[in-house]
């Protein structure tokens, strides 16, 4: 790693072979697989562990023999995705999943076992039990620990904590680096690299109620859009049906695995209702369950429904969900005895930066992976526990593709160092409070033409306040990306005049064959927004 100051004496310049933005599973797993290929800067805006990955509960979906097969896993993923998954992408995920999970175990991930054999849990919309979990309900912590410890000792990997990426450096149509803010020092740092990966996670902070940690502010989506990258499927936000209905942000998630073990949903009057909505009842796909819970809450004018843990039995509850029980006890709930109040909240972004199956975006040298990316694998509704698997499978694939990128010429390096990017985009920090309320009310679980149009108008007004700043605070940098991403999400949701998967509109309540396609958003260098579409890929991959 080469570190110098820019000629202005203010912007520090760091030359590396690979720049990776984000230290969740997607970023760390990619870094691990690139570690033999040259110096890597992992740029992360909080501490290295802070990520959605760290808080994942239910587990990792994987079809290990003899009881399961990748084909069955593929079928369940396609069905949950409501006709919008690209089949080659799902095939890659499910076929390559088992080997990559074995690899994670080889690096020391300790998944729960029964009688010496890996123990598989059940989650909604899976036809069989195929969810590996760790310490009962702390899978994410174990996955993040393993990936971090495996990466930490690699001499080629440097982690830059409290460093927030703000802008991608585009020179003659190629991405040659990333401009970031050292949050503690308040100064700009420019990473120049042969290949750049955005692995910045989700968008949960754009909603008033979400399971995501505060770092999930859609920075990758904002940066990539400004750089000219194509974005796909941004209208599909997954709402998780069972977050604890209690004060605080983020909302505490109660894993779907709890229903997989037999817990029942009750409406505000204390009655079971899911079989009125779907034959799979509590184990229907997440979009259906979230909307059903929401409908029952609305018809009773209540801000919560209930989750009844008692069918699981206390001993099994303690063994399978020790973390959830501890958190609920600390907050004064007794799930062993009485139902716990729950509510649906924003959880996962199915769309993101459009990539091929190796993480390439439409911009040379720019890659994307994990929740901020969209390879078409999750369609209109992600199947539970497919996201950690996605980070592993596509992280490894991105690493292979990034390793193939040739070195920047001396001239390209000079142009990147001398790039006239004077700062990063920022917006008033108060937008961080305003956007989540607007998105919750107008681009939420149930959408209408009016609401979406109003949201877009308001966001367009706020977007006028986004401008270049040489020393923005983290909140100002995040506000700019939240504003940008929210605007794109409202635009895509307004554009799709049907209901499919997680996108539900009262003015177009049915699924439409015509809409079996992806909505793609892109920005021309002039700033103009282009909306186009791409048919769903149904071709067999092999
Ligand atoms: P993250 O893990 O979110 O990592 C993103 C990283 O990018 C973070 O390090 C963040 O600080 C950094 N970052 C963001 N912006 C910037 C910036 N501008 N500059 C520098 N760094 C930046 N999925 C499952 O498969 N199974 C589960 O059981 C499961 N349970 C979940 C439970 C909860 C509570 C949540 C929130 C999610 C859960 N998910 C689960 C979803 C899954 O955890 C995430 O989708 C997945 O971990 C995303 O990984 P990632 O690496 O893409 O992003
Ligand atoms: C959960 O444990 O319910 C979350 C699983 C997921 O988001 O895949």
């Amino acid at each position: 790693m080469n570190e110098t100051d820019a000629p202005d004496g203010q912007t520090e310049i760091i030359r590396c072979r690979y720049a990776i933005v984000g230290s969740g599973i997607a970023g760390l797993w990619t870094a691990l697989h690139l570690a033999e290929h040259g110096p890597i800067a992992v740029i992360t805006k909080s501490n290295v562990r802070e990520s959605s990955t760290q808080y994942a509960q239910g587990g990792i979906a994987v079809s290990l023999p003899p009881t399961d097969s990748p084909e069955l896993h593929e079928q369940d993923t396609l069905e949950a995705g409501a006709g919008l998954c690209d089949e080659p992408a799902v095939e890659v995920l499910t076929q390559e999943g088992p080997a990559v999970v074995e690899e994670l175990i080889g690096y020391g991930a300790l998944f729960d076992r029964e009688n010496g054999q890996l123990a598989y849990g059940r989650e909604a919309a899976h036809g069989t039990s195929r969810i590996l979990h760790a310490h009962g309900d702390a899978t994410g912590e174990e996955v993040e620990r393993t990936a971090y410890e495996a990466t930490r000792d690699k001499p080629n990997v440097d982690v830059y904590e409290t460093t927030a990426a703000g802008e991608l450096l585009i020179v003659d149509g190629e991405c040659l680096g990333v401009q970031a803010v050292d949050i503690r020092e308040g100064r700009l740092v420019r990473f120049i690299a042969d290949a750049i990966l955005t692995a910045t996670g989700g968008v949960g902070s754009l909603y008033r109620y979400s399971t995501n940690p505060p770092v999930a502010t859609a920075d990758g989506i904002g940066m990539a859009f400004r750089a000219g990258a194509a974005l796909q499927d941004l209208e599909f936000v997954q709402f998780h049906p069972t977050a604890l209905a209690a004060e605080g942000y983020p909302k505490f998630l109660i894993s779907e695995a709890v229903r997989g073990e037999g817990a029942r949903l009750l409406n505000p009057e204390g009655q079971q209702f899911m079989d009125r909505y779907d034959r799979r009842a509590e184990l229907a796909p997440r979009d259906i369950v979230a909307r059903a819970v929401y409908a029952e809450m609305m018809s009773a004018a209540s801000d919560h429904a209930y989750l009844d843990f008692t069918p699981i039995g206390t001993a099994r509850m303690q063994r399978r969900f020790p973390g959830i029980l501890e958190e609920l006890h600390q907050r004064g709930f007794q799930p062993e005895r009485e139902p716990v109040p729950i509510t649906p909240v924003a959880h996962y972004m199915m769309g993101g930066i459009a990539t091929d199956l190796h993480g390439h975006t439409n911009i040379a040298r720019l890659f994307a992976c994990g929740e901020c990316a969209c390879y078409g694998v999750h369609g209109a509704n992600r199947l539970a526990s497919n996201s950690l698997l996605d980070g592993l499978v596509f992280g490894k694939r991105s690493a292979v593709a990034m390793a193939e990128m040739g070195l920047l010429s001396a001239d390209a390096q000079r142009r990147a160092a001398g790039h006239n990017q004077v700062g990063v985009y920022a917006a008033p920090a108060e937008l961080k409070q305003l956007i989540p309320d607007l998105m919750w009310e107008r681009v939420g679980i149930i959408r209408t033409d009016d609401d979406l149009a109003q949201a877009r108008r308001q966001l367009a007004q706020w977007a006028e306040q986004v401008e270049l700043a040489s020393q923005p605070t983290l909140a100002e940098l995040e506000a700019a990306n939240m504003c940008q991403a929210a605007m794109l999400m409202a635009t895509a949701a307004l554009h799709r005049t049907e209901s499919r998967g997680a996108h539900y509109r009262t003015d177009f309540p049915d699924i439409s064959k015509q809409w079996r396609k992806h909505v793609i958003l892109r920005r021309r260098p002039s700033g103009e927004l282009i909306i186009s579409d791409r048919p769903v890929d149904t071709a067999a991959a092999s």
Side-chain angles (χ1 to χ4, degrees):
M1 201 90 55
N2 254 334
E3 307 195 8
T4 55
D5 274 340
D8 66 4
Q10 303 200 342
T11 303
E12 183 185 358
I13 293 194
I14 297 176
R15 168 74 176 124
C16 49
R17 177 129 165 79
Y18 307 106
I20 293 180
V21 185
S23 59
I25 188 57
L28 290 181
W29 197 246
T30 307
L32 181 62
H33 286 83
L34 275 173
E36 305 309 318
H37 296 274
I40 303 166
V42 175
I43 303 156
T44 190
K45 68 179 172 182
S46 179
N47 66 65
V48 69
R49 297 270 185 107
E50 187 61 1
S51 58
S52 289
T53 302
Q54 174 76 8
Y55 301 101
Q57 289 183 358
I60 300 188
V62 66
S63 55
L64 294 175
T67 53
D68 199 0
S69 75
E71 290 72 24
L72 291 173
H73 188 186
E74 182 178 340
Q75 277 317 310
D76 290 342
T77 303
L78 293 173
E79 195 171 328
L84 216 76
C85 300
D86 288 321
E87 290 180 23
V90 179
E91 197 174 318
V92 162
L93 180 83
T94 53
Q95 294 285 342
E96 296 181 13
V100 88
V101 169
E102 297 278 15
E103 194 182 342
L104 184 70
I105 293 172
Y107 276 110
L110 296 170
F111 291 109
D112 296 333
R113 292 177 181 264
E114 272 166 17
N115 305 321
Q117 303 296 315
L118 286 168
Y120 295 99
R122 183 83 184 257
E123 284 183 358
H126 286 275
T128 185
S129 297
R130 63 164 72 93
I131 317 295
L132 290 183
H133 43 87
H135 315 295
D137 52 13
T139 312
E141 204 176 320
E142 182 63 12
V143 168
E144 182 75 8
R145 178 196 67 76
T146 306
Y148 175 56
E149 287 179 3
T151 314
R152 186 180 52 192
D153 300 329
K154 300 282 181 192
N156 265 338
V157 181
D158 282 330
V159 178
Y160 293 81
E161 293 186 307
T162 59
T163 304
E167 239 51 55
L168 296 163
L169 289 174
I170 306 296
V171 179
D172 296 336
E174 279 193 315
C175 184
L176 304 187
V178 57
Q179 180 108 315
V181 180
D182 176 335
I183 297 157
R184 275 185 297 212
E185 301 286 325
R187 70 178 196 139
L188 295 175
V189 188
R190 182 173 296 182
F191 294 87
I192 298 177
D194 305 312
I196 295 93
L197 178 81
T198 54
T200 50
V203 306
S205 298
L206 272 66
Y207 284 90
R208 186 194 293 159
Y209 305 122
S210 164
T211 60
N212 293 189
V215 289
T217 52
D219 295 354
I221 289 176
M223 281 191 292
F225 181 70
R226 289 191 292 276
L231 301 163
Q232 178 178 312
D233 294 348
L234 291 184
E235 62 275 37
F236 295 106
V237 178
Q238 182 167 72
F239 290 82
H240 196 290
T242 60
L244 182 67
E247 288 303 303
Y249 184 92
K251 291 288 175 212
F252 179 66
L253 181 81
I254 301 178
S255 174
E256 207 154 82
V258 174
R259 276 178 285 130
E261 293 286 344
R264 302 176 310 158
L265 285 162
L266 306 178
N267 65 18
E269 279 89 31
Q271 293 149 354
Q272 237 181 314
F273 59 91
M274 266 316 301
D275 54 1
R276 278 195 274 116
Y277 291 85
D278 193 282
R279 65 180 162 76
R280 292 157 290 188
E282 268 75 2
L283 295 186
R286 199 172 274 180
D287 57 329
I288 295 172
V289 181
R291 269 195 303 278
V293 172
Y294 190 72
E296 294 291 311
M297 284 164 51
M298 291 303 106
S299 77
S302 172
D303 64 1
H304 62 269
Y306 292 100
L307 187 63
D308 176 14
F309 284 60
T310 56
I312 304 174
T314 302
R316 182 137 185 90
M317 238 184 271
Q318 285 167 343
R319 197 165 62 251
R320 277 292 278 115
F321 307 115
I324 294 174
L325 280 194
E326 190 186 337
E327 183 76 24
L328 292 178
H329 289 161
Q330 271 177 15
R331 293 175 182 236
F333 298 101
Q334 299 298 329
E336 301 89 334
R337 290 203 294 278
E338 54 193 10
V340 169
I342 52 93
T343 180
V345 302
H347 181 63
Y348 183 84
M349 168 48 90
M350 263 75 70
I353 304 161
T355 71
D356 68 6
L357 298 181
H358 303 275
H360 297 101
T361 68
N362 59 310
I363 298 179
R365 299 186 185 274
L366 177 65
F367 296 76
C369 180
E371 191 170 336
C372 73
C374 184
Y375 350 86
V377 83
H378 302 303
N381 177 49
R382 175 176 63 92
L383 184 66
S385 287
N386 265 357
S387 179
L388 293 173
L389 187 65
D390 148 352
L392 293 169
V393 167
F394 290 98
K396 186 168 178 178
R397 285 183 150 243
S398 297
V400 172
M402 288 170 75
E404 286 169 2
M405 294 310 298
L407 292 176
L408 291 181
S409 66
D411 181 50
Q413 289 185 52
R414 250 192 321 275
R415 280 182 295 149
H419 192 288
N420 63 0
Q421 180 82 48
V422 292
V424 304
Y425 280 91
E430 63 173 331
L431 290 184
K432 283 197 68 184
Q433 265 70 54
L434 299 175
I435 291 170
D437 285 343
L438 181 78
M439 291 298 280
W440 182 258
E441 277 154 23
R442 304 209 181 276
V443 194
I445 302 179
I446 307 288
R447 299 161 173 193
T448 68
D449 173 71
D450 255 16
D451 280 343
L452 294 171
Q454 280 195 43
R456 209 171 54 164
R457 266 196 301 279
Q458 178 64 78
L459 287 159
Q461 267 181 26
W462 286 338
E464 287 169 14
Q465 300 173 60
V466 174
E467 53 189 28
L468 272 175
S470 55
Q471 288 191 326
T473 63
L474 178 60
E476 289 165 346
L477 177 153
E478 291 176 335
N481 291 316
M482 288 170 66
C483 193
Q484 190 99 68
M487 174 76 185
L488 295 168
M489 288 158 65
T491 301
L494 198 54
H495 187 69
R496 182 176 286 278
T497 48
E498 66 154 356
S499 290
R500 180 188 292 272
H503 172 66
Y504 186 84
R505 286 179 62 154
T506 53
D507 49 345
F508 293 97
D510 300 318
I511 195 164
S512 155
K513 269 192 195 145
Q514 282 177 3
W515 275 106
R516 194 160 182 228
K517 55 191 181 186
H518 302 284
V519 173
I520 315 279
L521 301 177
R522 206 158 58 78
R523 180 180 179 275
R524 285 217 170 92
S526 62
E528 184 197 352
L529 175 67
I530 313 167
I531 306 182
S532 58
D533 52 48
R534 173 175 78 68
V536 168
D537 191 348
T538 53
S542 46

